[in-house]
Amino acid sequence: MAEKDIAEKVLESYNDVFADIANGLLFQGEEIILEEELEERQPRSYYKASGKVREIERDTAKLWKNGKIRIAFIGYENQTEADPDMPLRVIGYDGAEYRVQLTKENDTESRYPVITLILYFGYTKPWDKPKSLLDRLDIPEKLKPYVNDYKINLFEIAYLSRKQVNLFKSDFRVVADYFVQKREKGDYVPEPQELKHVQETLQLLSVMTGDHRFEETYNSRNAEGRPHNMCDVLDRIENRGMEQGIQQGIQQGRTEREAQIILNMYQKSLPLEQIAEFVGITLDEVKSIVENPKSVLS
């Protein structure tokens, strides 16, 4: 999932997208967090285990500040599959950040909350794994009163309502809309929303869906320039598909004519080596056509 993590980090690392996700999911679209109030934070934290210093890394993290006052630390974790150990992972992330607040560099009476949001992009089925620590652990009955619970803040993007999707104002709205439509209809009809971070949005869609045509559409230059919205993107994907179909048809025609020539020469008892040299292909390719002509003739 490394490739997916990278793409998600790129889009979500923009302050306008980061703030929009938090405002949409936590504050019903009200602009409580402003992008200029966000400060980049190193997503890595460290802990000591078995005498060694080990590293844990969040997907995306930022510090929300009002002037010099630290309001909260917010981190995002992106998932395409449900992870049963997510409550344990979140405890590790959050605990490491709280531990940072106890260091000498943060020697202040002010303490601030750490909030982790799990963004689940799976659309073929809802999250079906534990959402809290107590659900994950096997706890003897007599110990249960002494074990504190820890719940994850899970948001299933593909299962948001249309009203919730419309709360987003950044490019994340396009991403959320795509996964909701794929879950509801198995298809996607785009809206003409202009994209601010075109490449990052298409890269995310490419790696999350496995359909690299999204990213290829951005990378391929043409007379019309880069696409500006998903309507442009799908038009170009469709046109490119038609062009590829035409080229494949032409190539198939060439292949069939070539195969017919080989079979005609073979029927005249010409040596296979001579046929290969004449046509300009390998001896193994000639043998394959001769032995199984139906594989290349329609």
Side-chain angles (χ1 to χ4, degrees), residues 25-53:
L25 296 178
L26 303 181
F27 308 120
Q28 293 71 54
E30 186 177 356
E31 293 188 20
I32 301 297
I33 300 177
L34 304 179
E35 58 180 289
E36 59 267 24
E37 295 176 337
L38 294 172
E39 180 181 288
E40 195 72 34
R41 283 299 296 266
Q42 173 61 258
R44 295 182 181 87
S45 299
Y46 301 91
Y47 67 98
K48 195 170 184 179
S50 302
K52 296 181 180 181
V53 176

PDB file of all heavy atoms in Angstrom, residues 25-53:
ATOM      1  N   LEU A  25     -15.918  16.778   7.880  1.00  0.00           N
ATOM      2  CA  LEU A  25     -16.219  15.589   8.667  1.00  0.00           C
ATOM      3  C   LEU A  25     -16.528  15.897  10.129  1.00  0.00           C
ATOM      4  O   LEU A  25     -17.356  15.211  10.748  1.00  0.00           O
ATOM      5  CB  LEU A  25     -15.047  14.605   8.593  1.00  0.00           C
ATOM      6  CG  LEU A  25     -14.735  14.029   7.206  1.00  0.00           C
ATOM      7  CD1 LEU A  25     -13.517  13.122   7.281  1.00  0.00           C
ATOM      8  CD2 LEU A  25     -15.931  13.271   6.636  1.00  0.00           C
ATOM      9  N   LEU A  26     -15.884  16.918  10.693  1.00  0.00           N
ATOM     10  CA  LEU A  26     -16.030  17.206  12.123  1.00  0.00           C
ATOM     11  C   LEU A  26     -17.009  18.322  12.434  1.00  0.00           C
ATOM     12  O   LEU A  26     -17.660  18.311  13.485  1.00  0.00           O
ATOM     13  CB  LEU A  26     -14.668  17.557  12.733  1.00  0.00           C
ATOM     14  CG  LEU A  26     -13.555  16.522  12.596  1.00  0.00           C
ATOM     15  CD1 LEU A  26     -12.287  17.017  13.262  1.00  0.00           C
ATOM     16  CD2 LEU A  26     -13.983  15.185  13.164  1.00  0.00           C
ATOM     17  N   PHE A  27     -17.121  19.293  11.523  1.00  0.00           N
ATOM     18  CA  PHE A  27     -17.904  20.497  11.835  1.00  0.00           C
ATOM     19  C   PHE A  27     -19.018  20.766  10.822  1.00  0.00           C
ATOM     20  O   PHE A  27     -19.434  21.906  10.646  1.00  0.00           O
ATOM     21  CB  PHE A  27     -16.963  21.709  11.917  1.00  0.00           C
ATOM     22  CG  PHE A  27     -15.793  21.501  12.841  1.00  0.00           C
ATOM     23  CD1 PHE A  27     -14.486  21.585  12.366  1.00  0.00           C
ATOM     24  CD2 PHE A  27     -15.986  21.198  14.170  1.00  0.00           C
ATOM     25  CE1 PHE A  27     -13.402  21.386  13.210  1.00  0.00           C
ATOM     26  CE2 PHE A  27     -14.907  20.997  15.027  1.00  0.00           C
ATOM     27  CZ  PHE A  27     -13.615  21.090  14.544  1.00  0.00           C
ATOM     28  N   GLN A  28     -19.487  19.706  10.151  1.00  0.00           N
ATOM     29  CA  GLN A  28     -20.608  19.822   9.214  1.00  0.00           C
ATOM     30  C   GLN A  28     -20.400  20.912   8.166  1.00  0.00           C
ATOM     31  O   GLN A  28     -21.324  21.615   7.769  1.00  0.00           O
ATOM     32  CB  GLN A  28     -21.926  20.072   9.953  1.00  0.00           C
ATOM     33  CG  GLN A  28     -22.410  18.911  10.799  1.00  0.00           C
ATOM     34  CD  GLN A  28     -21.556  18.696  12.054  1.00  0.00           C
ATOM     35  OE1 GLN A  28     -21.368  19.631  12.838  1.00  0.00           O
ATOM     36  NE2 GLN A  28     -21.054  17.500  12.224  1.00  0.00           N
ATOM     37  N   GLY A  29     -19.156  21.073   7.738  1.00  0.00           N
ATOM     38  CA  GLY A  29     -18.841  22.012   6.673  1.00  0.00           C
ATOM     39  C   GLY A  29     -18.563  23.429   7.131  1.00  0.00           C
ATOM     40  O   GLY A  29     -18.139  24.268   6.315  1.00  0.00           O
ATOM     41  N   GLU A  30     -18.783  23.744   8.394  1.00  0.00           N
ATOM     42  CA  GLU A  30     -18.491  25.091   8.892  1.00  0.00           C
ATOM     43  C   GLU A  30     -16.972  25.302   8.916  1.00  0.00           C
ATOM     44  O   GLU A  30     -16.232  24.426   9.359  1.00  0.00           O
ATOM     45  CB  GLU A  30     -19.059  25.266  10.293  1.00  0.00           C
ATOM     46  CG  GLU A  30     -18.938  26.675  10.832  1.00  0.00           C
ATOM     47  CD  GLU A  30     -19.566  26.840  12.201  1.00  0.00           C
ATOM     48  OE1 GLU A  30     -20.174  25.860  12.699  1.00  0.00           O
ATOM     49  OE2 GLU A  30     -19.447  27.945  12.775  1.00  0.00           O
ATOM     50  N   GLU A  31     -16.510  26.447   8.455  1.00  0.00           N
ATOM     51  CA  GLU A  31     -15.071  26.702   8.353  1.00  0.00           C
ATOM     52  C   GLU A  31     -14.496  27.085   9.714  1.00  0.00           C
ATOM     53  O   GLU A  31     -14.163  28.234   9.986  1.00  0.00           O
ATOM     54  CB  GLU A  31     -14.799  27.784   7.309  1.00  0.00           C
ATOM     55  CG  GLU A  31     -15.140  27.327   5.894  1.00  0.00           C
ATOM     56  CD  GLU A  31     -14.695  28.317   4.833  1.00  0.00           C
ATOM     57  OE1 GLU A  31     -13.809  29.146   5.126  1.00  0.00           O
ATOM     58  OE2 GLU A  31     -15.227  28.274   3.718  1.00  0.00           O
ATOM     59  N   ILE A  32     -14.363  26.100  10.565  1.00  0.00           N
ATOM     60  CA  ILE A  32     -13.788  26.299  11.897  1.00  0.00           C
ATOM     61  C   ILE A  32     -12.269  26.361  11.803  1.00  0.00           C
ATOM     62  O   ILE A  32     -11.613  27.210  12.406  1.00  0.00           O
ATOM     63  CB  ILE A  32     -14.224  25.162  12.840  1.00  0.00           C
ATOM     64  CG1 ILE A  32     -15.750  25.116  12.956  1.00  0.00           C
ATOM     65  CG2 ILE A  32     -13.563  25.323  14.202  1.00  0.00           C
ATOM     66  CD1 ILE A  32     -16.363  26.354  13.564  1.00  0.00           C
ATOM     67  N   ILE A  33     -11.690  25.435  11.028  1.00  0.00           N
ATOM     68  CA  ILE A  33     -10.238  25.403  10.834  1.00  0.00           C
ATOM     69  C   ILE A  33      -9.906  26.147   9.546  1.00  0.00           C
ATOM     70  O   ILE A  33     -10.451  25.832   8.480  1.00  0.00           O
ATOM     71  CB  ILE A  33      -9.725  23.955  10.750  1.00  0.00           C
ATOM     72  CG1 ILE A  33     -10.053  23.197  12.035  1.00  0.00           C
ATOM     73  CG2 ILE A  33      -8.221  23.930  10.487  1.00  0.00           C
ATOM     74  CD1 ILE A  33      -9.643  21.738  12.007  1.00  0.00           C
ATOM     75  N   LEU A  34      -9.039  27.141   9.630  1.00  0.00           N
ATOM     76  CA  LEU A  34      -8.608  27.892   8.460  1.00  0.00           C
ATOM     77  C   LEU A  34      -7.270  27.356   7.991  1.00  0.00           C
ATOM     78  O   LEU A  34      -6.426  26.962   8.809  1.00  0.00           O
ATOM     79  CB  LEU A  34      -8.494  29.379   8.794  1.00  0.00           C
ATOM     80  CG  LEU A  34      -9.757  30.048   9.354  1.00  0.00           C
ATOM     81  CD1 LEU A  34      -9.492  31.511   9.650  1.00  0.00           C
ATOM     82  CD2 LEU A  34     -10.934  29.893   8.393  1.00  0.00           C
ATOM     83  N   GLU A  35      -7.071  27.341   6.684  1.00  0.00           N
ATOM     84  CA  GLU A  35      -5.837  26.746   6.164  1.00  0.00           C
ATOM     85  C   GLU A  35      -4.590  27.476   6.643  1.00  0.00           C
ATOM     86  O   GLU A  35      -3.542  26.868   6.830  1.00  0.00           O
ATOM     87  CB  GLU A  35      -5.863  26.678   4.640  1.00  0.00           C
ATOM     88  CG  GLU A  35      -6.053  27.977   3.907  1.00  0.00           C
ATOM     89  CD  GLU A  35      -6.054  27.775   2.396  1.00  0.00           C
ATOM     90  OE1 GLU A  35      -4.975  27.486   1.849  1.00  0.00           O
ATOM     91  OE2 GLU A  35      -7.114  27.899   1.774  1.00  0.00           O
ATOM     92  N   GLU A  36      -4.691  28.796   6.877  1.00  0.00           N
ATOM     93  CA  GLU A  36      -3.523  29.538   7.350  1.00  0.00           C
ATOM     94  C   GLU A  36      -3.210  29.255   8.822  1.00  0.00           C
ATOM     95  O   GLU A  36      -2.157  29.654   9.323  1.00  0.00           O
ATOM     96  CB  GLU A  36      -3.723  31.038   7.150  1.00  0.00           C
ATOM     97  CG  GLU A  36      -4.934  31.630   7.845  1.00  0.00           C
ATOM     98  CD  GLU A  36      -6.156  31.678   6.952  1.00  0.00           C
ATOM     99  OE1 GLU A  36      -6.227  30.871   5.999  1.00  0.00           O
ATOM    100  OE2 GLU A  36      -7.030  32.523   7.218  1.00  0.00           O
ATOM    101  N   GLU A  37      -4.097  28.533   9.508  1.00  0.00           N
ATOM    102  CA  GLU A  37      -3.860  28.191  10.911  1.00  0.00           C
ATOM    103  C   GLU A  37      -3.175  26.835  11.058  1.00  0.00           C
ATOM    104  O   GLU A  37      -2.894  26.397  12.172  1.00  0.00           O
ATOM    105  CB  GLU A  37      -5.190  28.165  11.675  1.00  0.00           C
ATOM    106  CG  GLU A  37      -5.866  29.519  11.762  1.00  0.00           C
ATOM    107  CD  GLU A  37      -7.222  29.458  12.447  1.00  0.00           C
ATOM    108  OE1 GLU A  37      -7.833  28.364  12.465  1.00  0.00           O
ATOM    109  OE2 GLU A  37      -7.666  30.499  12.968  1.00  0.00           O
ATOM    110  N   LEU A  38      -2.910  26.184   9.953  1.00  0.00           N
ATOM    111  CA  LEU A  38      -2.310  24.849   9.985  1.00  0.00           C
ATOM    112  C   LEU A  38      -0.806  24.921   9.803  1.00  0.00           C
ATOM    113  O   LEU A  38      -0.305  25.632   8.938  1.00  0.00           O
ATOM    114  CB  LEU A  38      -2.922  23.961   8.901  1.00  0.00           C
ATOM    115  CG  LEU A  38      -4.400  23.624   9.084  1.00  0.00           C
ATOM    116  CD1 LEU A  38      -4.939  22.913   7.852  1.00  0.00           C
ATOM    117  CD2 LEU A  38      -4.616  22.772  10.331  1.00  0.00           C
ATOM    118  N   GLU A  39      -0.112  24.173  10.601  1.00  0.00           N
ATOM    119  CA  GLU A  39       1.353  24.139  10.549  1.00  0.00           C
ATOM    120  C   GLU A  39       1.797  22.702  10.299  1.00  0.00           C
ATOM    121  O   GLU A  39       1.341  21.769  10.958  1.00  0.00           O
ATOM    122  CB  GLU A  39       1.923  24.646  11.875  1.00  0.00           C
ATOM    123  CG  GLU A  39       3.435  24.657  11.945  1.00  0.00           C
ATOM    124  CD  GLU A  39       3.921  25.150  13.296  1.00  0.00           C
ATOM    125  OE1 GLU A  39       3.798  26.363  13.554  1.00  0.00           O
ATOM    126  OE2 GLU A  39       4.400  24.318  14.107  1.00  0.00           O
ATOM    127  N   GLU A  40       2.664  22.550   9.328  1.00  0.00           N
ATOM    128  CA  GLU A  40       3.160  21.211   8.989  1.00  0.00           C
ATOM    129  C   GLU A  40       3.879  20.602  10.175  1.00  0.00           C
ATOM    130  O   GLU A  40       4.685  21.247  10.829  1.00  0.00           O
ATOM    131  CB  GLU A  40       4.111  21.298   7.799  1.00  0.00           C
ATOM    132  CG  GLU A  40       4.388  19.961   7.136  1.00  0.00           C
ATOM    133  CD  GLU A  40       3.180  19.456   6.365  1.00  0.00           C
ATOM    134  OE1 GLU A  40       2.434  20.259   5.795  1.00  0.00           O
ATOM    135  OE2 GLU A  40       2.998  18.226   6.355  1.00  0.00           O
ATOM    136  N   ARG A  41       3.552  19.344  10.449  1.00  0.00           N
ATOM    137  CA  ARG A  41       4.231  18.632  11.524  1.00  0.00           C
ATOM    138  C   ARG A  41       4.861  17.371  10.968  1.00  0.00           C
ATOM    139  O   ARG A  41       4.325  16.721  10.085  1.00  0.00           O
ATOM    140  CB  ARG A  41       3.244  18.254  12.635  1.00  0.00           C
ATOM    141  CG  ARG A  41       2.862  19.412  13.537  1.00  0.00           C
ATOM    142  CD  ARG A  41       4.061  20.006  14.276  1.00  0.00           C
ATOM    143  NE  ARG A  41       4.665  19.067  15.191  1.00  0.00           N
ATOM    144  CZ  ARG A  41       4.354  18.994  16.485  1.00  0.00           C
ATOM    145  NH1 ARG A  41       3.416  19.781  16.990  1.00  0.00           N
ATOM    146  NH2 ARG A  41       4.957  18.139  17.270  1.00  0.00           N
ATOM    147  N   GLN A  42       6.006  17.047  11.505  1.00  0.00           N
ATOM    148  CA  GLN A  42       6.678  15.816  11.120  1.00  0.00           C
ATOM    149  C   GLN A  42       5.784  14.640  11.492  1.00  0.00           C
ATOM    150  O   GLN A  42       5.426  14.463  12.658  1.00  0.00           O
ATOM    151  CB  GLN A  42       8.018  15.715  11.861  1.00  0.00           C
ATOM    152  CG  GLN A  42       8.748  14.405  11.693  1.00  0.00           C
ATOM    153  CD  GLN A  42       9.085  14.137  10.234  1.00  0.00           C
ATOM    154  OE1 GLN A  42       8.400  13.341   9.606  1.00  0.00           O
ATOM    155  NE2 GLN A  42      10.094  14.788   9.711  1.00  0.00           N
ATOM    156  N   PRO A  43       5.357  13.828  10.500  1.00  0.00           N
ATOM    157  CA  PRO A  43       4.444  12.720  10.805  1.00  0.00           C
ATOM    158  C   PRO A  43       5.110  11.562  11.536  1.00  0.00           C
ATOM    159  O   PRO A  43       4.447  10.628  11.935  1.00  0.00           O
ATOM    160  CB  PRO A  43       3.959  12.278   9.420  1.00  0.00           C
ATOM    161  CG  PRO A  43       5.074  12.655   8.496  1.00  0.00           C
ATOM    162  CD  PRO A  43       5.655  13.928   9.055  1.00  0.00           C
ATOM    163  N   ARG A  44       6.419  11.628  11.730  1.00  0.00           N
ATOM    164  CA  ARG A  44       7.126  10.530  12.399  1.00  0.00           C
ATOM    165  C   ARG A  44       7.202  10.767  13.901  1.00  0.00           C
ATOM    166  O   ARG A  44       7.413  11.878  14.366  1.00  0.00           O
ATOM    167  CB  ARG A  44       8.544  10.386  11.847  1.00  0.00           C
ATOM    168  CG  ARG A  44       8.605   9.985  10.389  1.00  0.00           C
ATOM    169  CD  ARG A  44      10.042   9.806   9.938  1.00  0.00           C
ATOM    170  NE  ARG A  44      10.124   9.441   8.532  1.00  0.00           N
ATOM    171  CZ  ARG A  44      10.147  10.313   7.544  1.00  0.00           C
ATOM    172  NH1 ARG A  44      10.104  11.610   7.804  1.00  0.00           N
ATOM    173  NH2 ARG A  44      10.212   9.911   6.290  1.00  0.00           N
ATOM    174  N   SER A  45       7.035   9.690  14.655  1.00  0.00           N
ATOM    175  CA  SER A  45       7.242   9.708  16.096  1.00  0.00           C
ATOM    176  C   SER A  45       8.139   8.528  16.442  1.00  0.00           C
ATOM    177  O   SER A  45       8.259   7.574  15.661  1.00  0.00           O
ATOM    178  CB  SER A  45       5.915   9.607  16.850  1.00  0.00           C
ATOM    179  OG  SER A  45       5.083  10.703  16.547  1.00  0.00           O
ATOM    180  N   TYR A  46       8.750   8.584  17.618  1.00  0.00           N
ATOM    181  CA  TYR A  46       9.714   7.544  17.982  1.00  0.00           C
ATOM    182  C   TYR A  46       9.401   6.984  19.359  1.00  0.00           C
ATOM    183  O   TYR A  46       8.889   7.683  20.235  1.00  0.00           O
ATOM    184  CB  TYR A  46      11.135   8.123  17.960  1.00  0.00           C
ATOM    185  CG  TYR A  46      11.526   8.683  16.613  1.00  0.00           C
ATOM    186  CD1 TYR A  46      11.291  10.031  16.305  1.00  0.00           C
ATOM    187  CD2 TYR A  46      12.099   7.879  15.638  1.00  0.00           C
ATOM    188  CE1 TYR A  46      11.630  10.546  15.062  1.00  0.00           C
ATOM    189  CE2 TYR A  46      12.437   8.383  14.387  1.00  0.00           C
ATOM    190  CZ  TYR A  46      12.202   9.724  14.117  1.00  0.00           C
ATOM    191  OH  TYR A  46      12.522  10.237  12.874  1.00  0.00           O
ATOM    192  N   TYR A  47       9.710   5.702  19.538  1.00  0.00           N
ATOM    193  CA  TYR A  47       9.555   5.072  20.842  1.00  0.00           C
ATOM    194  C   TYR A  47      10.665   4.038  21.002  1.00  0.00           C
ATOM    195  O   TYR A  47      11.305   3.623  20.030  1.00  0.00           O
ATOM    196  CB  TYR A  47       8.180   4.416  20.979  1.00  0.00           C
ATOM    197  CG  TYR A  47       7.970   3.233  20.061  1.00  0.00           C
ATOM    198  CD1 TYR A  47       8.148   1.925  20.524  1.00  0.00           C
ATOM    199  CD2 TYR A  47       7.574   3.418  18.727  1.00  0.00           C
ATOM    200  CE1 TYR A  47       7.948   0.840  19.683  1.00  0.00           C
ATOM    201  CE2 TYR A  47       7.373   2.335  17.888  1.00  0.00           C
ATOM    202  CZ  TYR A  47       7.564   1.047  18.373  1.00  0.00           C
ATOM    203  OH  TYR A  47       7.376  -0.019  17.541  1.00  0.00           O
ATOM    204  N   LYS A  48      10.881   3.614  22.247  1.00  0.00           N
ATOM    205  CA  LYS A  48      11.961   2.674  22.530  1.00  0.00           C
ATOM    206  C   LYS A  48      11.374   1.317  22.877  1.00  0.00           C
ATOM    207  O   LYS A  48      10.479   1.212  23.718  1.00  0.00           O
ATOM    208  CB  LYS A  48      12.825   3.183  23.686  1.00  0.00           C
ATOM    209  CG  LYS A  48      14.164   2.470  23.808  1.00  0.00           C
ATOM    210  CD  LYS A  48      15.061   3.172  24.810  1.00  0.00           C
ATOM    211  CE  LYS A  48      16.437   2.531  24.867  1.00  0.00           C
ATOM    212  NZ  LYS A  48      17.321   3.233  25.823  1.00  0.00           N
ATOM    213  N   ALA A  49      11.862   0.273  22.198  1.00  0.00           N
ATOM    214  CA  ALA A  49      11.391  -1.087  22.442  1.00  0.00           C
ATOM    215  C   ALA A  49      12.561  -2.044  22.268  1.00  0.00           C
ATOM    216  O   ALA A  49      13.325  -1.934  21.310  1.00  0.00           O
ATOM    217  CB  ALA A  49      10.263  -1.449  21.494  1.00  0.00           C
ATOM    218  N   SER A  50      12.705  -2.959  23.198  1.00  0.00           N
ATOM    219  CA  SER A  50      13.799  -3.943  23.168  1.00  0.00           C
ATOM    220  C   SER A  50      15.158  -3.253  23.065  1.00  0.00           C
ATOM    221  O   SER A  50      16.062  -3.732  22.378  1.00  0.00           O
ATOM    222  CB  SER A  50      13.603  -4.919  21.998  1.00  0.00           C
ATOM    223  OG  SER A  50      12.363  -5.574  22.095  1.00  0.00           O
ATOM    224  N   GLY A  51      15.281  -2.116  23.728  1.00  0.00           N
ATOM    225  CA  GLY A  51      16.544  -1.397  23.740  1.00  0.00           C
ATOM    226  C   GLY A  51      16.847  -0.627  22.473  1.00  0.00           C
ATOM    227  O   GLY A  51      17.916  -0.052  22.331  1.00  0.00           O
ATOM    228  N   LYS A  52      15.904  -0.598  21.522  1.00  0.00           N
ATOM    229  CA  LYS A  52      16.131   0.091  20.259  1.00  0.00           C
ATOM    230  C   LYS A  52      15.085   1.193  20.055  1.00  0.00           C
ATOM    231  O   LYS A  52      13.941   1.062  20.489  1.00  0.00           O
ATOM    232  CB  LYS A  52      16.067  -0.892  19.088  1.00  0.00           C
ATOM    233  CG  LYS A  52      17.164  -1.958  19.110  1.00  0.00           C
ATOM    234  CD  LYS A  52      17.040  -2.873  17.896  1.00  0.00           C
ATOM    235  CE  LYS A  52      18.132  -3.941  17.895  1.00  0.00           C
ATOM    236  NZ  LYS A  52      18.033  -4.826  16.708  1.00  0.00           N
ATOM    237  N   VAL A  53      15.509   2.253  19.386  1.00  0.00           N
ATOM    238  CA  VAL A  53      14.590   3.333  19.054  1.00  0.00           C
ATOM    239  C   VAL A  53      13.873   2.962  17.752  1.00  0.00           C
ATOM    240  O   VAL A  53      14.507   2.677  16.746  1.00  0.00           O
ATOM    241  CB  VAL A  53      15.331   4.674  18.887  1.00  0.00           C
ATOM    242  CG1 VAL A  53      14.361   5.759  18.437  1.00  0.00           C
ATOM    243  CG2 VAL A  53      15.998   5.066  20.196  1.00  0.00           C
TER     244      VAL A  53
END
